[in-house]
Amino acid sequence: MSRPETVGAMSEAGGTEVIEQELIAILCAVLDADPDEFDSGTRIAGHANWDSMGSLEVMVQIENAFAVRLDLRAYHAVRTVAELATLVRTTSKSG
Amino acid sequence: MPLTTTPQGALLDRVRQAARAGRLPDAGDLRALDDAADPAALRLVGRALAALGNRGEDDSAGALRPVRVGLLATSTPGPLEQLFRAVLVAAGMLPDIATGEYGQFEADLATTPERVFDGRDAVCCLLDDSWFLPKGWDGSSVPDLLSYVERRVEDLCDLVRAAADSGSSSLIVLHTVPLSTTVRDAVVSWRDRAGLSRTWYRLNAALLELAESPAVVVVDLVGLLADSAVPAADDRLRRYADIAYTDAALLLLAKEWRRVLQAKSGLSRKVLALDLDNTLWGGVLGEVGPTGVELGGLYPGNCYQELQRTALRLRNQGVILALASKNDEGPVMEALQEHPEVLLRPSTFSAQAVDWSPKAGNLSGMASQLGLATDAFVFMDDSPFECGHVAAELPDVAVVPAAGDPAELVRRLLGRGWFDVLELTDTDRQRPSLYQERGERRRFEAGFASSTAYLHGLEISADIRRVGPYDVQRVAQLAARTNQFNLTGVRFDALETARMAEDPGFLTLACSVADRFGDEGLVGALWVEKREDIWRVLNFVMSCRVLGRGVELAMLGRLAEFAREAGAALVEGEYVRLPRNGMAADLWVQAGFTPSAAEEDGTRLFRLAPENGSELIPQWIRIQERQR
């Protein structure tokens, strides 16, 4: 199960949008939500279905989708979709 | 992988929609789920499928076998419930899962059956090493560490034995426990470390001994982890959420538990129906003869023999063997009887269907002959066509694809645990020979056509063209190799074929076929001599791989079109009986040709007016118009 397309796309300009789109898809899948409930600035923890197990689920899905391993502290410090995208982006660069 | 774009994401969407509507995902999606190795996707699926459980009265969910499961854990089970639900639904079960409270493992196990155990088919316990280890061990005394572990093992065994003896009908399902390297490596002396490992092996041996009780099943997670090369733990999840295992490890465990529940809820299979060519031996018997098949000796022959040995082991443990092969019966019996490396002699099969009929019909026939339903069957075949056909016609049959490297045949057959039972009785062991005495070989259905609905779904396209320079070698090879679907046995070589292809007095046709399973390549050839206005088919050969799909009729249909365009009055052909071409005897009649009276020399011709041949091309075959 290779995922070079995604990783490759992230290093391009505008990659953040691609990442955000994928992150929103993951959030919707885990939280059973609609895509229009989220945009870059949405505070993730504000979602009604967000809880500690849900947050771990989202993390696992992100790690799987982007082939990254997130620092838990950094992950928990994230508030918005945009911040999450930045975390994914910087993690995949350094990793 | 991205959820937004992948087939995995699309599958997930369909499963979620179905579950929301209280519908069961369709059979194809369930099979895909079953094959999905990706735990991240499966845990999402498991979440979505939870909706299914809430609608007990739905019809389609009613097609699943309900199972009631209790889930207890010494740590946080994390995604185990979701993974477990996904694999259970994929295997035809509808789980109702009750989980114990965090930190209440002993209490839940010790308290009366009413709480967790009530009416549960099984109570599955997720154990982890921390439960057996002292939290504050300071490193000063390894013997203290070991005696603590031993006491904990005793505690657990006492708890389990008490629960098993409580009279509840629930099965208690445990597993062996891996020891984290972070614990082992903290003991620095090699001697002491070996002592710790030894104690740990005893711990697992003690757990496995619990399986002597009929109320307890223990699966060997440690062994599975060693074989699967997935990390057992993720330190972050361990520290942050007390989740003791990775998703991948939990999925292994869930699949193993699934096998236990399969056996517990009567979903075990009783019959193994096996294909022959390229499943029980390498090569096509009809092409290479009994002495030419690959069996025994070195790779790949040893792979096929190992599969035969495995089938024999299953038979000796009560699995009924059945033979489902598209072949002529004579050579098959000869090979099974005479080949020195064959382990499965004819008498080991309790039912046999060796003919050219569709395998789905033959499996149903064998099922009724054995007095069993088709849901007792596992069918193993190397042909994606046959596997797909059986899966479409008989969704109850468990299909094991045998395509790919033969080295993996045994693992593929056993990996799903289709034949697992909780306990083997003497009656089980005698079953194959009991059925043997009842069974007699017979034909179940005439003709070798598959159902048209299935064929329409195959997207078969045929490229039927005049033999060109690039086809000549391949056509000659086909002529040389094809023994079964070979109408006259005349083998035109490359030189003759090339000459005929150039000569306007002849027509040579080649046929390539592709379907949604892939490209079969050049599979058929026709050699025709134009004798005035009568076109005489000198020979017609076709690879047996594609039989049952109407390709032979499509070729004759195209031939009739060519003849009509050229103004020919008749197309005629003959059938010459040869040792192995019995299966093609009825071709001309099936294609609507009229038999003539026998000629003086004993041959019999079959004739067709070309304008009557246009209907021959089956509707499910798309003819490519590349080259006329």
Side-chain angles (χ1 to χ4, degrees):
Chain A
M1 313 238 160
S2 67
R3 35 189 88 87
E5 324 82 46
T6 320
V7 177
M10 290 190 303
S11 54
E12 305 293 323
T16 307
E17 265 172 53
V18 178
I19 299 177
E20 283 185 14
Q21 226 171 9
E22 177 66 17
L23 289 175
I24 289 172
I26 289 172
L27 285 165
C28 292
V30 176
L31 304 177
D32 204 12
D34 271 343
D36 49 6
E37 295 180 50
F38 294 97
D39 58 32
S40 303
T42 310
R43 230 174 54 77
I44 300 169
H47 194 276
N49 296 346
W50 183 262
D51 57 20
S52 64
M53 285 324 274
S55 91
L56 276 185
E57 180 77 53
V58 168
M59 188 188 81
V60 167
Q61 298 298 340
I62 291 173
E63 293 190 336
N64 189 58
F66 295 97
V68 294
R69 194 173 158 84
L70 300 177
D71 183 305
L72 260 183
R73 293 160 300 173
Y75 175 68
H76 283 123
V78 157
R79 287 168 304 166
T80 63
V81 173
E83 287 176 20
L84 190 52
T86 308
L87 174 66
V88 168
R89 191 179 184 143
T90 50
T91 307
S92 68
K93 267 183 192 164
S94 59
Chain B
M1 78 216 49
L3 276 176
T4 37
T5 52
T6 55
Q8 198 86 269
L11 171 66
L12 183 58
D13 276 344
R14 286 196 302 276
V15 170
R16 190 180 297 129
Q17 272 165 23
R20 273 203 195 127
R23 269 186 304 109
L24 190 61
D26 71 48
D29 284 343
L30 284 179
R31 269 195 298 277
L33 264 185
D34 205 26
D35 296 335
D38 179 3
L42 275 178
R43 55 193 278 181
L44 286 178
V45 166
R47 266 177 173 244
L49 287 173
L52 216 54
N54 303 333
R55 306 174 161 248
E57 290 166 22
D58 176 76
D59 282 337
S60 77
L64 298 177
R65 183 78 51 106
V67 288
R68 290 165 55 80
V69 185
L71 184 58
L72 306 181
T74 54
S75 59
T76 309
L80 178 59
E81 184 184 339
Q82 288 94 296
L83 292 171
F84 201 17
R85 175 174 289 111
V87 299
L88 287 173
V89 171
M93 289 174 262
L94 182 64
D96 164 5
I97 302 177
T99 50
E101 290 293 315
Y102 179 68
Q104 298 296 305
F105 175 76
E106 295 98 312
D108 282 339
L109 200 56
T111 46
T112 48
E114 296 91 66
R115 284 197 49 208
V116 190
F117 289 72
D118 190 29
R120 300 275 145 194
D121 296 298
V123 174
C124 298
C125 302
L126 179 69
L127 310 172
D128 74 288
D129 58 0
S130 70
W131 193 86
F132 298 92
L133 292 163
K135 301 264 175 304
W137 183 63
D138 64 5
S140 58
S141 165
V142 171
D144 282 358
L145 171 64
L146 301 189
S147 63
Y148 184 92
V149 171
E150 281 158 8
R151 279 201 308 279
R152 289 296 269 175
V153 179
E154 261 319 297
D155 290 348
L156 182 72
C157 291
D158 288 345
L159 271 173
V160 171
R161 273 191 289 263
D165 294 343
S166 70
S168 144
S169 62
S170 307
L171 204 57
I172 301 172
V173 187
L174 305 167
H175 61 86
T176 55
V177 181
L179 175 64
S180 169
T181 45
T182 59
V183 176
R184 191 166 27 233
D185 288 348
V187 175
V188 296
S189 126
W190 277 107
R191 176 161 295 106
D192 288 340
R193 197 177 286 159
L196 173 57
S197 288
R198 198 163 60 237
T199 300
W200 206 264
Y201 277 109
R202 282 203 205 103
L203 175 159
N204 282 324
L207 289 175
L208 290 162
E209 260 166 48
L210 291 169
E212 289 300 311
S213 158
V216 181
V217 172
V218 185
V219 306
D220 189 8
L221 177 63
V222 175
L224 282 172
L225 285 168
D227 201 45
S228 311
V230 299
D234 179 333
D235 291 339
R236 296 171 310 165
L237 300 182
R238 172 105 230 191
R239 298 297 165 215
Y240 173 70
D242 196 21
I243 295 175
Y245 297 98
T246 59
D247 282 13
L250 290 174
L251 182 56
L252 276 181
L253 185 63
K255 286 191 168 175
E256 203 73 353
W257 281 354
R258 182 257 301 274
R259 291 171 59 158
V260 175
L261 280 164
Q262 214 166 261
K264 164 88 176 173
S265 27
L267 294 170
S268 301
R269 307 286 166 143
K270 294 191 177 68
V271 185
L272 171 59
L274 291 154
D275 167 49
L276 274 177
D277 292 340
N278 287 317
T279 301
L280 286 182
W281 53 53
V284 176
L285 180 67
E287 310 277 341
V288 297
T291 56
V293 296
E294 294 170 318
L295 184 63
L298 303 174
Y299 180 93
N302 58 354
C303 307
Y304 299 105
Q305 196 177 43
E306 201 51 35
L307 181 66
Q308 293 203 9
R309 185 170 287 117
T310 303
L312 204 56
R313 284 180 185 147
L314 292 174
R315 185 180 188 273
N316 289 333
Q317 296 172 84
V319 175
I320 298 164
L321 300 185
L323 195 56
S325 167
K326 282 188 177 170
N327 255 312
D328 286 335
E329 203 178 320
V332 164
M333 288 310 133
E334 184 191 336
L336 290 179
Q337 200 69 258
E338 306 295 333
H339 197 296
E341 303 288 337
V342 163
L343 300 176
L344 299 175
R345 296 297 177 193
S347 65
T348 55
F349 295 99
S350 302
Q352 298 176 8
V354 180
D355 53 36
W356 298 93
S357 304
K359 294 198 181 183
N362 276 342
L363 291 179
S364 315
M366 288 194 284
S368 59
Q369 177 194 330
L370 294 168
L372 294 166
T374 50
D375 67 6
F377 274 63
V378 172
F379 169 64
M380 187 174 194
D381 198 306
D382 67 296
S383 151
F385 170 83
E386 300 294 353
C387 289
H389 186 231
V390 168
E393 297 286 306
L394 304 170
D396 285 345
V397 172
V399 175
V400 178
D405 196 315
E408 291 162 9
L409 284 170
V410 172
R411 191 178 293 274
R412 248 171 275 153
L413 173 60
L414 299 179
R416 277 292 316 272
W418 287 119
F419 304 106
D420 290 3
V421 290
L422 295 179
E423 204 101 41
L424 201 63
T425 64
D426 285 343
T427 318
D428 289 329
R429 288 201 178 82
Q430 288 157 7
R431 190 186 294 126
S433 45
L434 289 176
Y435 279 96
Q436 174 80 45
E437 285 154 22
R438 272 198 233 166
E440 249 187 49
R441 202 163 55 240
R442 48 172 135 137
R443 291 181 182 279
F444 301 107
E445 210 178 299
F448 44 76
S450 304
S451 78
T452 52
Y454 176 64
L455 292 167
H456 275 286
L458 274 180
E459 298 154 22
I460 303 172
S461 72
D463 175 12
I464 300 168
R465 57 187 181 271
R466 292 178 198 276
V467 171
Y470 292 105
D471 295 322
V472 167
Q473 288 300 338
R474 179 72 189 98
V475 164
Q477 279 170 13
L478 193 68
R481 270 203 6 221
T482 305
N483 297 314
Q484 302 186 84
F485 196 99
N486 186 327
L487 271 293
T488 64
V490 184
R491 301 184 194 274
F492 296 105
D493 63 17
L495 211 63
E496 291 165 303
T497 302
R499 189 178 54 77
M500 285 191 239
E502 297 280 304
D503 188 334
F506 292 86
L507 175 70
T508 48
L509 289 181
C511 172
S512 301
V513 169
D515 59 29
R516 66 184 172 87
F517 295 121
D519 195 340
E520 297 278 3
L522 200 152
V523 294
L526 263 170
W527 294 260
V528 180
E529 184 181 4
K530 304 172 183 169
R531 300 176 177 172
E532 305 294 323
D533 59 348
I534 296 180
W535 285 23
R536 172 71 171 272
V537 176
L538 301 177
N539 199 6
F540 179 13
V541 301
M542 175 147 305
S543 164
C544 288
R545 294 203 300 281
V546 297
L547 283 179
R549 303 173 215 190
V551 177
E552 63 282 5
L553 298 178
M555 276 196 82
L556 291 178
R558 285 294 287 140
L559 172 62
E561 286 179 10
F562 278 109
R564 197 185 60 229
E565 286 163 18
L570 277 180
V571 176
E572 63 180 24
E574 69 176 312
Y575 167 76
V576 179
R577 181 165 285 285
L578 299 165
R580 294 191 204 145
N581 72 346
M583 54 152 325
D586 297 330
L587 170 79
W588 298 115
V589 173
Q590 276 171 4
F593 284 60
T594 313
S596 69
E599 306 277 314
E600 287 164 18
D601 59 359
T603 59
R604 167 177 289 218
L605 290 171
F606 297 84
R607 298 201 170 95
L608 181 79
E611 56 271 22
N612 296 336
S614 50
E615 303 295 306
L616 274 176
I617 300 174
Q619 286 175 351
W620 55 82
I621 296 183
R622 191 171 57 81
I623 302 293
Q624 288 182 8
E625 303 289 338
R626 183 166 74 120
Q627 198 181 345
R628 287 277 173 137

